[in-house]
Amino acid sequence: MKVELVNIGKKYEGRENFTIRNIDLVIEENEFCVILGPSGSGKSTVLRMIAGLASITEGDLLFNGKRMNRVEPKDRDIAMVFQSYALYPHMTVYENMAFSLKMKKERKTVIHESVLEAAETLQISEYLYSRPSEISGGQRQRVALGRAMVRNPAVFLMDEPLSNLDAKLREHMRVELVRLHKSLNTTSIYVTHDQTEAMTMADKIVLFDDGKVQQIGAPTEFYENPANLFVAGFIGSPTMNIFHGKMNNGVFRTDNDLVVVEPKPEDAILLKPYEGKEVCMGIRSERFNAGLAEKNNVTVKIDVIEMLGKEQLLYCKFPDGHEVVISEPGYFEYGVDEDHDFNFDLDGVHFFDADTTLRIN
Ligand code: ADP
Ligand code: MG
């Protein structure tokens, strides 16, 4: 099913301002769309409006072109999985999964087949007759997914379904969910505050802040072409290094000339209108290389080293105390308090308008 949000807004009763404003979003049939944003940015509100659990104040919600604003949740052909799995503790896994179909007065044989099939896909067949308290957190999360799957919905809605799992299991379930989506081929809308989940799972990411869409696109688009400073800072770990400076004779300079960038010719053209004005320069940690080059170098002192195995993150300081994070291969040898030269790759340099925060190049 294709899901469209047309200029959707939400104002909760008793609140002064709109929680969500002017959301335009198209989620294509079978797409895996991730709604990403910090806590309180309105992600759950959007999902609940799609589910019919929260009313829509303005705009239109369309399923395959049909307006759904006033359609009851039970008639929307959706299934939702929450962060708290909310399984019935007194029922077995089987009964939990069968429950919604039983309520719909589905035939016993149909229910049985659906539950067995979902259990098989999710690899929980051997726990069907256990109670939720007798299985692990990861297995419970699978039961919650199974409960949604048996309904064979046209749209799958998930609100932070992995947040209660430990790191290892989250990593595992991320891959499982992508696999599951591939086999079910159902339009899926997944809410998370975790940019790694969004980057690894999404066909399309919608990044929210403060109830407004900041950017919509594929994960690589977010990483390589962040629309503004907020997106640049939110996506990617470690966070993109940002330097404040001014354009002077076509060259970017920070206050005391610690970072000087001579932009690529195509960027120089875009930066022309910014002559004499403040701009921000962003560069990711992996865009630095060891040693001096002809141009675009920095000299810094290593403050802290975070060894991650395949790479190491060097938390460095300029003489004025300004910080920069540089990532280098794990097998290079660096020591704390050493001074080092690095050069950076102009292809990895982003410029942002300091006033509007929008990307320039
Ligand atoms: P997120 O899921 O991104 O953390 P939410 O959609 O839950 O954000 O909340 C967005 C904002 O809406 C918050 O400021 C929250 O307090 C407010 N909000 C959420 N639900 C309600 C409600 N039922 N009534 C009033 N305000 C609400
Ligand atoms: Mg939420």
Side-chain angles (χ1 to χ4, degrees):
M1 187 132 73
K2 179 174 175 178
V3 177
E4 278 174 278
L5 282 68
V6 184
N7 203 20
I8 292 261
K10 171 72 182 175
K11 186 172 170 302
Y12 281 111
E13 199 118 343
R15 290 243 163 185
E16 210 167 296
N17 298 315
F18 272 68
T19 293
I20 300 284
R21 273 154 298 171
N22 308 113
I23 296 205
D24 283 308
L25 172 64
V26 180
I27 301 159
E28 300 294 345
E29 168 104 46
N30 300 342
E31 199 164 47
F32 197 110
C33 174
V34 174
I35 298 179
L36 173 68
S39 171
S41 56
K43 306 180 297 293
S44 296
T45 299
V46 173
L47 208 64
R48 288 161 50 80
M49 284 193 283
I50 297 171
L53 302 173
S55 65
I56 297 171
T57 314
E58 48 176 48
D60 298 314
L61 171 69
L62 309 177
F63 283 4
N64 280 345
K66 184 169 167 254
R67 191 167 189 272
M68 302 302 283
N69 292 42
R70 302 206 166 274
V71 175
E72 290 286 312
K74 67 174 175 42
D75 299 324
R76 292 193 185 195
D77 202 4
I78 48 149
M80 190 151 167
V81 179
F82 299 92
Q83 174 180 351
S84 60
Y85 334 124
L87 300 177
Y88 299 110
H90 58 285
M91 292 185 193
T92 62
V93 166
Y94 185 103
E95 288 162 344
N96 264 285
M97 285 170 69
F99 188 73
S100 68
L101 295 181
K102 218 163 136 187
M103 286 289 114
K104 279 210 290 197
K105 306 224 179 327
E106 198 60 81
R107 287 208 332 270
K108 270 219 168 83
T109 49
V110 174
I111 297 179
H112 190 66
E113 268 174 32
S114 308
V115 170
L116 291 192
E117 193 188 325
E120 172 111 21
T121 310
L122 293 164
Q123 295 169 16
I124 47 174
S125 307
E126 50 185 306
Y127 312 108
L128 278 175
Y129 301 100
S130 306
R131 281 176 212 285
S133 62
E134 295 161 349
I135 59 179
S136 72
Q139 288 155 353
R140 267 177 243 160
Q141 187 53 272
R142 282 167 205 238
V143 177
L145 284 167
R147 202 171 45 172
M149 269 167 64
V150 294
R151 299 168 59 184
N152 195 18
V155 185
F156 238 123
L157 304 177
M158 292 170 267
D159 194 348
E160 314 238 12
L162 305 186
S163 333
N164 283 349
L165 306 179
D166 64 51
K168 242 328 180 238
L169 195 53
R170 248 195 338 257
E171 224 170 88
H172 176 71
M173 284 303 288
R174 266 193 340 237
V175 181
E176 291 283 291
L177 279 174
V178 171
R179 214 170 264 148
L180 188 65
H181 176 252
K182 223 169 87 185
S183 73
L184 294 180
N185 239 339
T186 305
T187 307
S188 302
I189 309 175
Y190 184 103
V191 162
T192 181
H193 65 275
D194 180 344
Q195 61 98 21
T196 310
E197 279 180 22
M199 290 297 283
T200 51
M201 297 169 74
D203 294 319
K204 177 186 278 170
I205 299 177
V206 183
L207 178 56
F208 261 73
D209 187 38
D210 197 21
K212 279 177 293 208
V213 172
Q214 303 291 319
Q215 187 166 353
I216 300 178
T220 48
E221 188 66 17
F222 272 77
Y223 195 76
E224 282 158 20
N225 297 311
N228 57 40
L229 280 172
F230 174 80
V231 180
F234 199 83
I235 298 284
S237 172
T239 305
M240 186 187 281
N241 296 294
I242 303 286
F243 299 95
H244 292 258
K246 265 193 186 146
M247 293 310 296
N248 190 329
N249 283 326
V251 176
F252 171 89
R253 292 175 183 279
T254 56
D255 251 357
N256 23 24
D257 284 353
L258 291 172
V259 183
V260 178
V261 186
E262 209 174 298
K264 292 192 293 183
E266 56 266 43
D267 290 350
I269 295 169
L270 298 167
L271 285 160
K272 271 240 166 74
Y274 291 89
E275 188 58 38
K277 292 194 183 139
E278 288 190 26
V279 296
C280 296
M281 190 277 273
I283 182 158
R284 295 201 188 274
S285 62
E286 69 271 22
R287 293 294 191 158
F288 289 89
N289 309 302
L292 288 175
E294 210 174 302
K295 277 188 266 194
N296 303 312
N297 300 304
V298 293
T299 305
V300 291
K301 191 185 276 304
I302 298 176
D303 191 26
V304 174
I305 300 178
E306 233 177 45
M307 175 51 86
L308 302 173
K310 78 172 169 23
E311 64 167 345
Q312 53 190 322
L313 299 179
L314 311 175
Y315 292 82
C316 306
K317 282 193 169 164
F318 287 93
D320 72 346
H322 203 108
E323 291 172 28
V324 60
V325 187
I326 293 174
S327 111
E328 288 291 317
Y331 50 80
F332 282 11
E333 282 190 23
Y334 287 103
V336 168
D337 287 338
E338 290 173 2
D339 288 312
H340 282 274
D341 299 317
F342 297 93
N343 64 86
F344 54 85
D345 179 357
L346 279 185
D347 287 335
V349 170
H350 306 265
F351 291 100
F352 300 90
D353 185 317
D355 277 339
T356 63
T357 80
L358 297 177
R359 194 181 72 237
I360 297 168
N361 63 331

